[in-house]
Amino acid sequence: MLRPQDGPTRERKSLDGLWQFQLDPDGVGRTAGWWRGRLREAREAPVPASYNDLFADAAVRDHVGDAWYQTTVRVPRGWAGQRVVLRFGAATHRAVVWVDDVEVARHEGGYTPFEADVTAHVRPGGPARVTVVVNNELSWESIPPGEVEETPRGRRQVYFHDFFNYAGLHRSVWLYSTPRAHLDDVTVVTGLDGAAGTVQYTVGAVDADSLGVRAVLRDAEGVEVATAHGATGVLEVAEVHPWRPGEGHLYDLELALTDGPELVDSYVLPVGVRTVEVRGQQFLINGEPFSFTGFGKHEDLPVRGKGHDDVFLVHDAALMRWIGANSFRTAHYPYAEEVLDFADRNGIVVIDETAAVGQNMTLAAFALGRPEVPTFSAETIGEAGHAAHAQAIRELVARDRNHPSVVLWSIANEPESDTDEACAYFEPLFDLTRELDPTRPVGFANMMFSAYGRDRLHRYADVVMLNRYYGWYRHAGDLVAAEEALEAELTGWATEGKPIIVTEYGADTVAGLHQVTPMPWSEEYQVEFLEMHHRVFDRIDAVVGEHVWNFADFATGPGTGRVDGNRKGVFTRDRRPKAAAQVLRRRWQGLDRS
Ligand code: GCB
């Protein structure tokens, strides 16, 4: 699937803005055929945005089930004879789409795009009614998993992850045109050999048997630096300007579908030439050892929830640059494509994660006070859940494999990882990821219950990724004991011969709470907590990455350990720095050393 773009053969029209919106608490809309006409009791809601926090109404915030969106779009007159496609950046967690009376798409998974060829259902120059039903229920068959409970007060969504279950149309919606014969896919793999670079490309095309493909690589000034012909080929650049952390240098790869001298379709893909490799305990980008500094983030904002927002895209990146972060993890789901485009252009390194979070029923029992059930079993996460997970990996890799910023796939966050069932579940998923993309390392974020000596999944992973909370969930308030325990565990992991990235370490901190004798929740404790971790990391060579949990405070479900959400942010939810920001800035900008 290629992203919509404007060009000599393609055009797009945005459907973002205010749509009609109606909750369906009784789940009657599908039977009643709500898509057949105007939504009767609708109010307006913005796209992209989560709907939960828009209306100052707990019934909307905590809604479980279907929510309907509707808009009318006028198809541009000039698109006559073209193929017309309707594309959603995401619909959380699943959706069905109708154009007028016809169902055109169905998609499962809340964080990856989907589209429908609607050429046969629209008339250029005419209006088309677009209706979407979005469903937010999480089950044993969904990624992430959850359980809907029937209670006397109605249905209640239980989930096993620590962020609010925002739902709705979180990303942009486009109507776009392509020629009937068109390019529909491209994969690039880049290489470096001394000063020279290569871009290996493969394109897919539809109705193009008799057509040719021309590939032209242009540098940042628009100067042609290499050309090739054919659906697959290699472009060579003698003096290449590589993409590297901190410097998002990009070329433009223009792919043209041709009929003799005539241009049939054209698509431009930005390409960064770089390599990624794990060698021993090093993580190499362009053959040079790379150390990750940065955060696990969330797509999370006041009012708009998980709705993509360019303002905060730019602002968060500015704060990351200010603090000296070179990377982040898309915890705990694939982020909007705009985020990765921006990372490509700005040299920000990304660990790209699927939405497989909460697959750990020991942790769920502990955190939610529920009776423990097996994580992986026919009654819980079984075959259907596994298939959904495999599909989530397929969609993530298909969407993001051409982004130079993405250097590592994280296929799950804190799953159960110490049982035979977990091995049987995950081994094929690691294999699948490598088969889909042999060029990037693969890992998963390990949790504390499967500490060194217990974990059984790291043998499938290229990198050891650890979420650790010594000094918070363990040894809270005792940073001396925490330091010993952290060092002992990391020393164990370091014998595995793989690079270690600490993908989470953090302490909840209420901004403005100060203490001269630091206790958990104070700004001073967060400072001392981070300093303790950094001392330990600096004593262990295998640690090649530190991602603080979290970049900013974020919304969660209710809980006694949560004060208006998770407060482990180094920035507040509205992006004001806590004292810890200065500690990180001094360390990551090297200010302590100068
Ligand atoms: C974790 C999870 C993350 C939570 C965090 C916490 O290990 O990966 O989703 O938010 O801990 O703050 O408890």
Side-chain angles (χ1 to χ4, degrees), residues 309-519:
D309 183 296
D310 280 340
V311 175
F312 279 89
L313 168 62
V314 170
H315 188 55
D316 285 4
L319 293 175
M320 296 227 310
R321 182 173 284 263
W322 171 83
I323 210 169
N326 60 19
S327 54
F328 67 91
R329 176 170 59 121
T330 70
H332 294 308
Y333 36 81
Y335 288 5
E337 290 154 284
E338 290 85 344
V339 178
L340 296 179
D341 293 343
F342 189 90
D344 290 345
R345 289 192 298 272
N346 290 277
I348 302 166
V349 172
V350 178
I351 301 176
D352 207 0
E353 190 158 276
T354 69
V357 53
Q359 298 179 318
N360 190 327
M361 291 310 123
T362 311
L363 174 59
F366 179 79
L368 302 176
R370 290 161 52 95
E372 187 168 342
V373 293
T375 302
F376 302 110
S377 74
E379 290 71 45
T380 53
I381 303 173
E383 260 173 52
H386 193 264
H389 197 157
Q391 183 61 13
I393 292 173
R394 276 186 214 104
E395 292 188 23
L396 175 72
V397 175
R399 194 194 75 161
D400 291 350
R401 67 187 167 206
N402 292 327
H403 287 286
S405 56
V406 173
V407 300
L408 171 60
W409 303 116
S410 170
I411 63 170
N413 182 71
E414 299 196 343
E416 174 179 297
S417 64
D418 57 352
T419 58
D420 288 344
E421 290 78 9
C423 292
Y425 179 93
F426 273 101
E427 187 177 2
L429 297 179
F430 277 97
D431 291 346
L432 171 69
T433 314
R434 290 201 178 89
E435 187 187 309
L436 294 167
D437 178 15
T439 76
R440 285 179 183 83
V442 188
F444 75 101
N446 156 291
M447 81 120 356
M448 266 178 121
F449 290 173
S450 297
Y452 181 66
R454 260 194 94 82
D455 178 87
R456 308 231 339 248
L457 292 186
H458 64 279
R459 61 189 154 134
Y460 306 120
D462 299 300
V463 177
V464 171
M465 297 162 63
L466 303 176
N467 295 352
R468 286 299 177 272
Y469 288 93
Y470 292 109
W472 189 258
Y473 294 120
R474 252 180 231 171
H475 306 299
D478 184 352
L479 291 177
V480 175
E483 183 161 355
E484 271 174 31
L486 174 66
E487 182 155 9
E489 199 199 337
L490 290 183
T491 305
W493 281 111
T495 63
E496 290 291 322
K498 297 183 183 184
I500 300 171
I501 304 174
V502 180
T503 34
E504 289 184 20
Y505 61 112
D508 280 275
T509 304
V510 173
L513 180 64
H514 292 283
Q515 284 166 341
V516 285
T517 51
M519 292 275 279

Side-chain angles (χ1 to χ4, degrees), residues 7 60 64 71 78 124 167 184 275 284 330 336 340 358 363 403 432 505-506 538 553 589:
V60 181
V64 180
T71 193
D184 78 336
T275 62
L284 305 175
T330 70
L340 296 179
L363 174 59
H403 287 286
L432 171 69
Y505 61 112
D538 291 345
D553 295 345
Q589 296 282 17

Side-chain angles (χ1 to χ4, degrees), residues 75-154:
V75 182
R77 255 185 326 154
W79 291 6
Q82 300 293 297
R83 179 174 157 264
V84 181
V85 185
L86 178 61
R87 191 213 204 239
F88 293 80
T92 311
H93 293 282
R94 65 189 57 77
V96 184
V97 182
W98 293 264
V99 166
D100 294 327
D101 289 351
V102 183
E103 180 184 321
V104 296
R106 244 170 217 265
H107 183 258
E108 171 71 28
Y111 304 97
T112 43
F114 59 96
E115 61 180 28
D117 182 335
V118 297
T119 318
H121 314 299
V122 299
R123 192 171 46 78
R129 186 179 64 245
V130 178
T131 309
V132 187
V133 61
V134 177
N135 176 277
N136 68 349
E137 291 169 43
L138 297 174
S139 72
W140 294 115
E141 304 191 352
S142 65
I143 296 291
E147 241 184 334
V148 176
E149 284 179 354
E150 307 288 339
T151 77
R153 293 160 306 287

